Amino acid sequence: MELDIVEYELSDEIRRGIDSILQNLFSKTNPELIVLADDAGRIISLKGKTSEELAEFVASLVSGIFGATLEMGKMLSISELDMVQFESKDSDVIIKAVKPRFLMGIMVKGGTAIGSVRLFLKQAAQELEETLSRLELVPKKVVKIDLQTIEDKLRKVMGV
């Protein structure tokens, strides 16, 4: 088994494009947080009224929740799942897939017009897909590891 660890070659032009798209979405939706992360939960960009530590936690949750939802969808024969939404009394969270392998999460206060947020989020995702299509994925390193070693390391971490 090989695990590829990838870095992203973000040119200044691509970074400015991402920041512009997220700032536009931020101004239209007034969210608590917008985070753009890869499918492993690594932050590419964020906008919000929160600490970087909380943003990293949210990016990890976005990745984990979306990945788990995709797998459950497969079990239920639901294909083409590209958006997940969670609503609570205090806040709403929407996670949108952005091709080729990114996720955008937006957290808004409860009572926000969620239909408008979803519409603006879809538009932003389309713009991001166009911008990110020019992104270069640069392999940082390839880790070769067998399944037994992974299981042993997980047992050690979990204390089993």
Side-chain angles (χ1 to χ4, degrees):
M1 172 184 281
E2 291 184 358
L3 303 173
D4 65 334
I5 299 174
V6 175
E7 284 188 349
Y8 306 96
E9 199 65 42
L10 290 175
S11 68
D12 290 339
E13 177 187 350
I14 291 174
R15 186 166 295 283
R16 281 191 302 271
I18 291 169
D19 287 342
S20 174
I21 293 165
L22 294 185
Q23 185 59 47
N24 187 31
L25 178 61
F26 194 88
S27 67
K28 289 179 179 178
T29 58
N30 192 30
E32 295 295 309
L33 175 69
I34 299 172
V35 63
L36 176 65
D38 68 5
D39 54 4
R42 294 176 290 233
I43 295 175
I44 304 301
S45 186
L46 64 97
K47 299 278 182 221
K49 309 165 187 169
T50 187
S51 70
E52 188 172 325
E53 184 177 293
L54 179 60
E56 288 176 2
F57 177 70
V58 170
S60 296
L61 284 175
V62 162
S63 172
I65 290 168
F66 197 83
T69 304
L70 277 178
E71 291 305 312
M72 288 188 286
K74 288 177 186 175
M75 290 179 197
L76 297 171
S77 300
I78 298 172
S79 61
E80 302 296 322
L81 181 68
D82 75 338
M83 188 180 290
V84 177
Q85 180 176 330
F86 299 91
E87 296 181 37
S88 73
K89 182 178 178 182
D90 300 326
S91 62
D92 299 323
V93 176
I94 305 171
I95 305 167
K96 173 82 173 97
V98 179
K99 293 177 184 174
R101 58 181 287 185
F102 299 95
L103 299 168
M104 186 169 31
I106 185 168
M107 183 169 47
V108 296
K109 291 180 183 174
T112 302
I114 205 71
S116 296
V117 173
R118 288 173 57 109
L119 175 66
F120 294 134
L121 183 63
K122 284 182 180 182
Q123 290 171 344
Q126 289 173 342
E127 293 172 22
L128 280 170
E129 285 178 5
E130 184 179 316
T131 300
L132 292 170
S133 69
R134 300 184 311 252
L135 186 67
E136 291 185 41
L137 302 179
V138 181
K140 185 173 180 182
K141 66 179 176 179
V142 175
V143 180
K144 293 185 179 188
I145 190 165
D146 63 278
L147 189 55
Q148 186 61 47
T149 303
I150 293 173
E151 289 176 356
D152 292 344
K153 287 182 185 274
L154 282 171
R155 280 193 204 95
K156 184 176 179 181
V157 167
M158 297 177 78
V160 180

